């Protein structure tokens, strides 16, 4: 544990809280991609199956359980409780185009060819692109609500901070996970345009619009 990982985890937790509060308070999931939320639930399920076999710490266990439960709670709110507000017409990204390559890549490139390691690797690859349906939805609709923008910024910050965590661990501990670093770089790059627009528009009180 170091300051960058702690801040990354807190940023991740903040993103989830913002999303759940937005849906619950407005009684609407408008502007949120259900496809991305399904992908995130798959990511956390695949990555944290080691809860059944490995104990690291109370902090580690609690955070994993929170991410899993929150991801499924979000999917439930979107597809069951507030499904009438879900924008099916615009959330049309074909997630199989992300799932299949990530499965194949995880089978080919992994740290160790075991069930849990392949699942972990698959989750890392999938998380790096899981936000694409959300960005596609924002681009297709033309703009995002401020609260949705805050959620995306917190989520992007989480990945950026995790990159700093890996740099810190390499310098201080001489330890690195190449798969996680490369995937983290890919994910952070996907957020670059959004970060720029967030800083130049949302923080100045304007609506965020992504280029179509």
């Amino acid at each position: 544990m170091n300051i960058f990982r702690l801040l990354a985890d807190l940023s991740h937790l903040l993103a989830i809280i913002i999303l759940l509060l937005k849906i619950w308070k407005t009684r609407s999931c408008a502007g949120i991609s259900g496809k991305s939320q399904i992908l995130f639930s798959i990511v956390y399920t695949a990555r944290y199956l080691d809860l059944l076999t490995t104990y690291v710490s109370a902090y580690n266990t609690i955070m994993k359980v929170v991410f899993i439960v929150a991801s499924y709670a979000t999917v439930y709110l979107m597809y069951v409780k507030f499904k009438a507000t879900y924008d099916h017409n615009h959330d049309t990204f074909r997630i199989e185009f992300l799932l299949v390559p990530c499965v194949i890549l995880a089978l080919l490139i992994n740290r160790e060819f075991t069930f849990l390691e392949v699942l972990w690797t698959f989750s890392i690859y999938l998380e790096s692109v899981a936000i694409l349906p959300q960005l596609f939805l924002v681009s297709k609709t033309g703009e995002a609500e401020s609260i949705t923008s805050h959620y995306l910024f917190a989520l992007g910050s989480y990945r950026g901070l995790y990159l700093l965590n890996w740099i810190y661990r390499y310098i201080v501990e001489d330890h690195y996970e190449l798969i996680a670093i490369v995937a983290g770089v890919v994910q952070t790059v996907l957020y670059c345009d959004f970060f720029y627009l967030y800083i130049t528009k949302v923080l100045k009180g304007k609506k965020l619009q992504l280029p179509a």
Side-chain angles (χ1 to χ4, degrees):
M1 177 61 70
N2 58 68
I3 186 62
F4 299 113
R5 180 179 174 184
L6 178 60
L7 289 175
D9 286 346
L10 292 177
S11 182
H12 193 182
L13 190 59
L14 177 62
I16 290 172
I17 291 172
I18 289 173
L19 180 63
L20 288 173
L21 284 178
K22 177 257 191 278
I23 296 174
W24 191 257
K25 283 192 171 184
T26 63
R27 320 297 285 184
S28 169
C29 50
I32 303 298
S33 169
K35 301 287 184 71
S36 274
Q37 297 310 314
I38 288 174
L39 292 179
F40 282 126
S41 66
I42 294 173
V43 165
Y44 304 138
T45 302
R47 184 176 305 170
Y48 299 145
L49 273 182
D50 64 351
L51 279 170
L52 303 175
T53 61
T54 306
Y55 176 80
V56 178
S57 66
Y59 171 84
N60 184 272
T61 298
I62 291 171
M63 292 299 278
K64 287 180 178 180
V65 171
V66 167
F67 292 143
I68 292 173
V69 172
S71 67
Y72 280 98
T74 304
V75 171
Y76 168 77
L77 291 176
M78 295 193 67
Y79 286 94
V80 180
K81 186 145 184 91
F82 303 121
K83 64 179 181 179
T85 66
Y86 173 45
D87 190 358
H88 294 274
N89 294 327
H90 289 110
D91 193 19
T92 56
F93 195 98
R94 300 283 296 277
I95 61 175
E96 60 268 29
F97 292 153
L98 301 177
L99 285 166
V100 173
C102 287
V103 169
I104 295 173
L105 198 57
L107 290 170
L108 295 175
I109 305 175
N110 50 69
R111 296 185 303 187
E112 184 181 352
F113 196 74
T114 63
F115 180 68
L116 287 180
E117 282 297 327
V118 170
L119 279 181
W120 178 85
T121 306
F122 164 70
S123 77
I124 295 294
Y125 292 148
L126 185 59
E127 187 181 23
S128 70
V129 294
I131 199 62
L132 281 175
Q134 179 65 62
L135 296 178
F136 180 76
L137 174 62
V138 173
S139 177
K140 201 169 183 182
T141 57
E143 60 184 31
E145 297 177 12
S146 292
I147 192 69
T148 305
S149 300
H150 298 328
Y151 158 70
L152 289 171
F153 183 78
L155 199 61
S157 297
Y158 142 66
R159 291 314 307 173
L161 286 165
Y162 251 94
L163 281 181
L164 294 178
N165 161 66
W166 286 118
I167 293 172
Y168 174 87
R169 292 192 65 184
Y170 178 73
I171 294 173
V172 176
E173 305 172 19
D174 196 27
H175 174 81
Y176 66 94
E177 291 283 357
L178 186 59
I179 290 174
I181 292 172
V182 172
V185 169
V186 170
Q187 189 171 0
T188 304
V189 168
L190 291 177
Y191 280 94
C192 283
D193 282 347
F194 172 80
F195 283 149
Y196 173 76
L197 292 172
Y198 183 87
I199 293 170
T200 58
K201 291 186 178 295
V202 178
L203 293 184
K204 294 181 179 180
K206 301 176 183 178
K207 284 190 175 182
L208 182 141
Q209 293 181 315
L210 287 180

